[in-house]
Amino acid sequence: MKTHECISFIMLDGNKILLEKRSKDKETDPGLITIPGGHIEDGETQVQALMREVKEELDVTPTNYQYLCSLYHPTQELQLIHYFIVTSWNGEIKPYEAEGIEWHALESAAVEIAADAVALKEFKRINAFLWV
């Protein structure tokens, strides 16, 4: 089975995280609450995909970001999701591809994809060391 590489971005505003409700017509994970992201295109680096996806999804440009981890997500295809933390950006966030977006308290953010839940746990585990 071919692995499809993807980018997901944990957008932080203080102790809040931005989550999306995926459109019901999406091929993968329709209607679920997730960390936003998308596929890496041929020839793109992870950072190039991060910049493109954040712009396409939310119409903002990350100015401070850091790689977090990579996790497999088996869905209709096998995805390898590279998670990044985004702590600042230029522009005003607007949802372009999701059915909706909403800020959630990081401590109680509930996502409906196992890989996203693991990424959030990893962020919480190492948060004190990365952003001191």
Side-chain angles (χ1 to χ4, degrees), residues 57-119:
E57 297 263 338
L58 303 173
D59 196 32
V60 297
T61 303
T63 57
N64 190 23
Y65 56 90
Q66 184 169 347
Y67 171 79
L68 176 65
C69 64
S70 296
L71 299 165
Y72 283 99
H73 173 51
T75 182
Q76 290 84 343
E77 61 187 21
L78 180 60
Q79 296 179 349
L80 178 58
I81 303 174
H82 306 288
Y83 289 89
F84 282 78
I85 306 297
V86 178
T87 55
S88 63
W89 52 87
N90 286 329
E92 183 180 329
I93 292 175
K94 299 176 222 100
Y96 279 126
E97 294 191 9
E99 185 174 305
I101 57 172
E102 190 172 313
W103 291 99
H104 295 264
L106 186 58
E107 305 79 42
S108 61
V111 290
E112 297 178 310
I113 292 175
D116 285 359
V118 171

